[in-house]
Amino acid sequence: GQSLEQPSEVTAVEGAIVQINCTYQTSGFYGLSWYQQHDGGAPTFLSYNALDGLEETGRFSSFLSRSDSYGYLLLQELQMKDSASYFCAADPYPHASGGSYIPTFGRGTSLIVHP
Amino acid sequence: GAVVSQHPSRVICKSGTSVKIECRSLDFQATTMFWYRQFPKQSLMLMATSNEGSKATYEQGVEKDKFLINHASLTLSTLTVTSAHPEDSSFYICSARGRITDTQYFGPGTRLTVL
């Protein structure tokens, strides 16, 4: 089985940088994904790490350390519209199989951005 | 990115009626579709995983006779909530994953309210 831990809430001000951590305990871990969800909306994919290191996509970056069972999402130049819930999700099996491997989601981190 | 649609977006029904929710992948073939439910301020709870042409795999505690899932084609999966009760009121979200993409793409969700 898998379990993921992430903070329940993070607050920051506009223009700041914020890091949302995610630690996982899994069997057969393969990769870590991050999703953003605004109130009343569905999750949208942000990034994915299968290898150790940093993946950068615009203002958002995601990091993975497999040896530490740890990853984080880094949001730079925060904007009010970044206020949302952020979920990390762990994949248990390699993607290439095309099988119905089942990702596990963390409980989500509510990010509140203040003016 | 890939597009997944969900219909209806919102439904209000009387207790005892059945409700069908459709999930479609619009620009890719979804070999696997996932159905989640989400209560306010909580994480996504996986209900079942469905592969095209085969029976859905339900998570522990999810009644398969109450939540009927059909994945009849590579672009369509349906979830039918049978004999809905007020406690079934929730946000139901589908996601789809194709043969090639490593990413889950989420539908916009369906908010079900059972009176």
Side-chain angles (χ1 to χ4, degrees):
Chain A
Q2 303 191 354
S3 68
L4 295 93
E5 294 291 331
Q6 52 183 127
S8 59
E9 186 175 293
V10 172
T11 59
V13 296
E14 265 188 307
I17 299 173
V18 72
Q19 179 174 311
I20 300 173
N21 298 320
C22 175
T23 57
Y24 58 88
Q25 291 183 322
T26 68
S27 54
F29 172 85
Y30 185 75
L32 194 70
S33 301
W34 287 92
Y35 294 84
Q36 179 192 61
Q37 185 181 30
H38 285 99
D39 267 351
T44 54
F45 172 77
L46 290 177
S47 69
Y48 178 76
N49 295 71
L51 302 175
D52 282 0
L54 194 66
E55 292 281 342
E56 297 181 69
T57 310
R59 294 189 296 115
F60 295 178
S61 303
S62 58
F63 172 83
L64 176 66
S65 169
R66 300 169 76 91
S67 60
D68 296 322
S69 296
Y70 163 74
Y72 66 71
L73 179 69
L74 190 73
L75 299 90
Q76 302 182 70
E77 300 173 21
L78 279 177
Q79 302 174 9
M80 296 294 289
K81 67 178 182 179
D82 297 329
S83 293
S85 292
Y86 292 84
F87 295 90
C88 57
D91 281 338
Y93 297 118
H95 289 188
S97 68
S100 58
Y101 57 98
I102 300 168
T104 300
F105 282 80
R107 297 179 66 83
T109 298
S110 176
L111 171 64
I112 302 169
V113 181
H114 294 291
Chain B
V3 178
V4 176
S5 71
Q6 224 175 300
H7 177 81
S9 58
R10 185 181 297 269
V11 60
I12 302 172
C13 68
K14 291 182 179 179
S15 185
T17 58
S18 294
V19 175
K20 179 186 278 190
I21 303 169
E22 290 187 351
C23 177
R24 293 181 185 273
S25 57
L26 299 184
D27 54 358
F28 69 101
Q29 294 184 327
T31 50
T32 305
M33 284 185 169
F34 303 91
W35 286 96
Y36 297 86
R37 66 187 297 180
Q38 185 180 34
F39 293 104
K41 305 295 184 183
Q42 295 192 22
S43 187
L44 299 157
M45 186 193 84
L46 181 67
M47 299 174 66
T49 303
S50 75
N51 290 304
E52 184 266 338
S54 62
K55 289 184 179 179
T57 303
Y58 289 81
E59 294 301 297
Q60 193 172 10
V62 177
E63 299 173 60
K64 62 180 180 181
D65 294 331
K66 180 169 183 63
F67 299 99
L68 301 177
I69 292 172
N70 184 285
H71 192 162
S73 76
L74 284 171
T75 59
L76 173 64
S77 176
T78 60
L79 167 68
T80 301
V81 182
T82 61
S83 187
H85 289 97
E87 58 265 30
D88 298 324
S89 299
S90 188
F91 192 46
Y92 291 87
I93 310 171
C94 72
S95 71
R97 176 179 268 155
R99 285 194 184 92
I100 298 172
T101 179
D102 288 345
T103 304
Q104 279 191 92
Y105 293 96
F106 284 86
T110 297
R111 188 160 302 282
L112 171 64
T113 303
V114 185
L115 303 177

